[in-house]
């Protein structure tokens, strides 16, 4: 799957967003190391701290199916239906991704292809606890 196709899957996933409080729909499309596609959307709650982001939804779905090795994720978000502006993963999502992915893990946004380390250069890890 090309990065453009992966991004389009993220846009499609955003259509299932439950974002009645913010009005900002986010979708994510995650590829496992063996090529399986997992999508996720943001799911809001009236108690904002209970909201779950699209990236974590996709990761949690994959992990719950037994997959913990990933090759790329695309993230698309918009409040207006215009997905041309990048929707950067939040810190919580970056930390969850860092649990399963190396620094060179691919993050696809509307403005191009990035690496996880571009967003989280000094991440908390098992190594940092030693």
């Amino acid at each position: 799957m090309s990065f453009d196709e992966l991004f389009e899957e993220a846009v499609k996933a955003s259509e299932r967003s439950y974002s009645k409080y913010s009005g900002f729909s986010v979708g994510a499309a995650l590829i496992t190391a063996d090529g399986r596609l997992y999508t996720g959307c943001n799911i809001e709650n009236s108690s904002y701290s209970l909201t779950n982001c699209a990236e974590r939804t996709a990761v949690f779905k994959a992990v719950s199916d037994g997959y913990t090795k990933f090759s790329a994720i695309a993230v698309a978000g918009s409040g207006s239906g215009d997905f041309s502006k990048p929707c950067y993963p939040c810190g919580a999502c970056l930390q969850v991704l860092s649990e399963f992915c190396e620094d060179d893990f691919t993050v696809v946004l509307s403005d191009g292809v990035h690496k996880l380390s571009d967003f989280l250069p000094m991440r908390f890890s098992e190594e940092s606890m030693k």
Side-chain angles (χ1 to χ4, degrees):
M1 176 175 287
S2 74
F3 291 145
D4 287 339
E5 291 169 324
L6 188 61
F7 185 79
E8 284 304 313
E9 290 296 327
V11 170
K12 286 182 198 173
S14 76
E15 295 169 1
R16 295 185 294 278
S17 167
Y18 181 78
S19 51
K20 74 180 202 173
Y21 302 102
S22 72
F24 193 81
S25 301
V26 183
L30 177 70
I31 296 289
T32 64
D34 67 352
R36 294 177 190 269
L37 175 68
Y38 281 87
T39 60
C41 61
N42 59 321
I43 303 165
E44 295 181 349
N45 188 279
S46 60
S47 173
Y48 278 104
S49 65
L50 299 177
T51 294
N52 200 56
C53 298
E55 300 92 309
R56 284 181 283 149
T57 299
V59 170
F60 296 161
K61 285 170 61 177
V63 171
S64 70
D65 278 352
Y67 297 95
T68 59
K69 298 196 183 313
F70 309 115
S71 61
I73 192 167
V75 182
S78 175
S80 66
D82 175 8
F83 293 93
S84 63
K85 292 181 182 175
C87 180
Y88 300 108
C90 75
C93 289
L94 292 170
Q95 184 61 44
V96 167
L97 286 167
S98 77
E99 181 71 19
F100 302 102
C101 307
E102 300 298 323
D103 287 341
D104 63 349
F105 175 72
T106 301
V107 179
V108 180
L109 304 175
S110 63
D111 66 348
V113 178
H114 307 273
K115 299 295 178 195
L116 180 60
S117 62
D118 294 338
F119 303 107
L120 195 63
M122 297 169 28
R123 62 187 173 165
F124 182 82
S125 68
E126 184 177 348
E127 291 300 314
S128 66
M129 295 188 303
K130 294 179 182 176

